Amino acid sequence: MATERTLSIIKPDATTRNLTGKINAKFEDAGLRIVAQKRIHLTPAQAGQFYIVHKDRPFFGELTEFMASAPVVVQVLEGEGAIAKNREVMGATNPADAAPGTIRKEFAESVGENSVHGSDAPETAAEEIAFFFSGLELVG
Ligand code: DAT
Ligand code: MG
């Protein structure tokens, strides 16, 4: 499997509970390298642009409001099969369905406030990385 990069976001429910370090330890323990990272506070419009694919879903307003409610940590994770590996470490979208040891099982508060975002495919990973980072900011 090839080396990949994926976009990760530590969401407001996790940054406000000071869980950034514990979540980053999960990524690093799984062999994912943090090659870019910054803390930002999204506007609702920016959150809506990032999650535009979900614009017709009933939870869109709630999702964008939540993502703009407090700072987030956006990061690029690199490693062998990083996209799938990150999704594994994250766990299922709904923490009630997430496997033991996953970030969402251990830390997520609900299906909406679920601590982390991770890209779901190579195309979305490339788009989502470019949404937040320039090439100069990716330091492998
Ligand atoms: P994932 O974040 O696991 O890729 P997704 O892409 O289906 O999940 O949805 C994006 C985010 O939208 C998800 O992390 C939290 C929110 N969301 C999804 N389903 C929801 C629901 N039924 N109610 C509230 N928020 C939801
Ligand atoms: Mg998704």
Side-chain angles (χ1 to χ4, degrees):
M1 181 155 302
T3 298
E4 291 176 339
R5 285 174 170 172
T6 191
L7 191 279
S8 166
I9 306 178
I10 302 179
K11 295 185 179 182
D13 67 284
T15 61
T16 53
R17 287 179 292 147
N18 241 10
L19 293 170
T20 299
K22 286 194 172 115
I23 290 173
N24 278 348
K26 293 267 193 200
F27 295 140
E28 294 187 335
D29 288 350
L32 293 164
R33 181 173 298 275
I34 301 163
V35 299
Q37 177 166 259
K38 60 191 172 190
R39 183 174 172 96
I40 59 176
H41 195 147
L42 293 168
T43 64
Q46 289 167 333
Q49 194 57 42
F50 179 76
Y51 273 122
I52 195 76
V53 66
H54 295 306
K55 69 178 184 335
D56 296 327
R57 308 282 285 275
F59 55 80
F60 183 68
E62 186 188 321
L63 173 62
T64 56
E65 192 182 320
F66 165 62
M67 290 299 288
S69 66
V72 296
V73 173
V74 294
Q75 46 193 192
V76 178
L77 307 178
E78 181 182 272
E80 288 288 304
I83 297 166
K85 185 176 284 182
N86 181 41
R87 297 290 310 191
E88 231 177 271
V89 175
M90 289 166 59
T93 306
N94 186 340
D97 303 328
T102 60
I103 291 168
R104 283 167 164 170
K105 184 65 173 188
E106 288 191 16
F107 303 125
E109 303 203 293
S110 65
V111 63
E113 306 202 358
N114 60 3
S115 303
V116 281
H117 166 84
S119 308
D120 59 11
E123 301 72 32
T124 48
E127 282 172 23
E128 291 178 1
I129 289 169
F131 187 89
F132 288 111
F133 293 99
S134 77
L136 282 175
E137 294 176 296
L138 309 178
V139 185

